Amino acid sequence: MDLFQRRDIGFMSYWGITMVLRCFPLAFRLKYALCTARLCARLWLSLLPGERCQITQNLVSLNGKISNVDLPRLILLHYETHSWNFVINDLLPHLSSAQIKSFSEVHGLKRLETALNKGRGAVLLSAHFGAHAYIILAILRAHGCPVKAVLGQELRPEGNASRFYRKTIDPVRSAPRTALPILERGVVSPTEIAASLKRNKALFILGDMHLTEKQVTQEHQVLTVPFLWGRAPFRTGPMRLPKLFGVPVLPTFSLHRKGRIIVEIEETLKLRSGKSKEDIAADMRSYLGRLEQRILFAPDQWGHIRHENIPNWIRPCQG
C-alpha cells in the first residue's frame, strides 16, 4: 500500500480547508458553503492538472451526444459540485432538519406516497449524480421520507487507496455514515431488507457503480448492457432486489443548482415480470435510460465523469 499518491494532493487541500472551517460557527460554514466549494474547486484543478486531462478525455467521449460543449466551464462546474459535496458532507452530522431544508428541495414526494400506499415499501434507485448519497439520504429524511439506504463501504480493503487517504481523508468523508440509517451492502441479510420493506419504508440504492475489470471477473451478478457511448458492466442487485420482494422502483436523482440541492423522485419504472437475464437487462436499461438523460443534460453533475477507470468501464461498441 502506498503511503501517499499524487491524487491525494487534492484531497489534502480539501482536508486542510475543512480543518480551518471547523474553527468557525456552524451557521457561518453553512452560509459560505458554496463560496468555499468554489475556492476548493479552483485549488484542486490548479494542483492536479492530470485530473483535468482525464475529465476532458471522458467529456470528449460524450461529444457525439451533447452539443455546444464548453469543456473548461463543464470541468469547473464539476469540481464545484464535487467540492460542495465535501463541504456539505462535513456539516451533515451537525445540521438540523430545518437547516437541511434551507438549501434543499424534494420534488415527487406524491409519487413516493402513492408507491408506499400499496404497503410493500419501495426502492429509490439513485446514482452518483448531483449530491453525495449521504446528502441525498439526509435530505429525503429531513423532508419526511421514511427511508433507509443500502450502501457499500466507502473504501474496500483490497482497494488501491493510499495509507494517507485511509487514515486522514476517509474518516472525514465517512463521518455522516454513523448518524444515518444505512444497511451495509454485502453484509445486510435479505431478512433485514424484507423487515424494512414490511415496515413500508423506502430503500435508497445506488445503481450506477462503476466496476473495475477485477470486480467484473470476481462478482457473479453482473451484466454488460448499452450505456452512453458504448457498453458497460453493472451489478444486477438493484434490479433483482425489487423483483424478489415485489416492490416498485422509482428513479431518484439530485441536482446542484445555484446553492441549492434539488432531489427529484421520478415516475415508477415499468419492470418486466420475468427474472431472466434478458428481463433484468431490459429493466436495467429502463433505469439507465433515465440516468443517461440526466447526464446528457448536465454532464458536470455526474460523479464518475472524472474517474480514470471510465475508459476501461465503458467500452465503445464494435462496428
Side-chain angles (χ1 to χ4, degrees):
M1 181 188 300
D2 295 335
L3 179 63
F4 190 86
Q5 297 173 356
R6 181 170 178 77
R7 61 183 176 181
D8 290 333
I9 295 173
F11 288 115
M12 185 169 63
S13 64
Y14 144 73
W15 180 85
I17 291 173
T18 298
M19 294 301 107
V20 170
L21 286 173
R22 286 182 177 180
C23 299
F24 293 89
L26 187 66
F28 176 89
R29 293 162 63 191
L30 182 59
K31 180 178 180 180
Y32 292 101
L34 184 57
C35 295
T36 303
R38 287 172 174 163
L39 171 64
C40 287
R42 285 159 176 78
L43 183 59
W44 198 304
L45 283 170
S46 66
L47 291 172
L48 291 171
E51 285 203 8
R52 183 193 294 269
C53 295
Q54 182 63 61
I55 191 174
T56 299
Q57 178 184 337
N58 293 340
L59 283 168
V60 166
S61 297
L62 279 173
N63 250 344
K65 293 181 174 288
I66 54 179
S67 57
N68 301 319
V69 181
D70 183 348
L71 287 179
R73 177 178 172 275
L74 283 179
I75 292 169
L76 181 58
L77 286 174
H78 172 77
Y79 275 91
E80 286 182 1
T81 297
H82 185 45
S83 299
W84 198 25
N85 279 335
F86 282 155
V87 174
I88 294 296
N89 202 61
D90 190 56
L91 294 172
L92 213 53
H94 314 290
L95 296 178
S96 66
S97 292
Q99 287 173 314
I100 293 173
K101 291 167 77 172
S102 71
F103 61 80
S104 66
E105 305 170 27
V106 178
H107 301 167
L109 284 172
K110 282 289 184 183
R111 293 170 183 152
L112 177 58
E113 183 180 327
T114 300
L116 293 177
N117 281 342
K118 298 177 181 179
R120 301 195 304 268
V123 167
L124 299 178
L125 190 53
S126 192
H128 293 79
F129 189 89
H132 191 283
Y134 297 155
I135 300 172
I136 302 175
L137 181 58
I139 288 172
L140 288 169
R141 288 178 59 80
H143 286 265
C145 296
V147 61
K148 282 188 174 183
V150 179
L151 298 172
Q153 286 288 347
E154 288 282 332
L155 282 177
R156 301 187 310 278
E158 74 279 9
N160 62 353
S162 69
R163 189 178 301 276
F164 169 80
Y165 185 95
R166 291 175 183 274
K167 298 294 185 182
T168 306
I169 305 301
D170 184 59
V172 177
R173 291 191 67 179
S174 302
R177 190 181 182 98
T178 55
L180 292 169
I182 294 174
L183 304 172
E184 187 175 337
R185 187 186 65 79
V187 175
V188 61
S189 69
T191 304
E192 291 176 275
I193 291 175
S196 290
L197 292 171
K198 283 181 179 178
R199 288 194 291 270
N200 208 26
K201 289 184 176 292
L203 284 182
F204 177 88
I205 300 174
L206 295 172
D208 70 331
M209 294 299 298
H210 73 83
L211 304 177
T212 64
E213 292 183 15
K214 183 178 180 180
Q215 286 175 301
V216 172
T217 57
Q218 289 179 340
E219 299 189 20
H220 303 293
Q221 305 296 340
V222 173
L223 281 178
T224 298
V225 295
F227 183 58
L228 293 173
W229 60 85
R231 294 175 61 82
F234 290 91
R235 292 187 177 115
T236 58
M239 283 303 166
R240 288 186 293 106
L241 185 149
K243 283 177 174 287
L244 178 64
F245 294 104
V247 299
V249 179
L250 295 85
T252 302
F253 303 109
S254 65
L255 191 71
H256 284 271
R257 277 296 177 262
K258 297 180 179 178
R260 297 189 66 75
I261 300 173
I262 302 166
V263 177
E264 183 169 356
I265 301 171
E266 294 191 351
E267 294 285 353
T268 302
L269 287 178
K270 294 180 180 179
L271 303 182
R272 290 191 178 187
S273 57
K275 297 180 182 178
S276 68
K277 283 187 177 181
E278 292 73 19
D279 292 321
I280 297 291
D283 293 336
M284 290 168 65
R285 273 301 311 156
S286 295
Y287 155 73
L288 292 172
R290 302 269 190 102
L291 175 58
E292 285 172 341
Q293 291 177 8
R294 298 274 176 170
I295 293 171
L296 297 179
F297 175 73
D300 57 288
Q301 300 278 313
W302 191 35
H304 292 335
I305 200 67
R306 72 181 178 278
H307 282 286
E308 68 275 7
N309 183 47
I310 295 301
N312 297 319
W313 178 46
I314 306 176
R315 300 294 181 93
C317 297
Q318 299 298 320

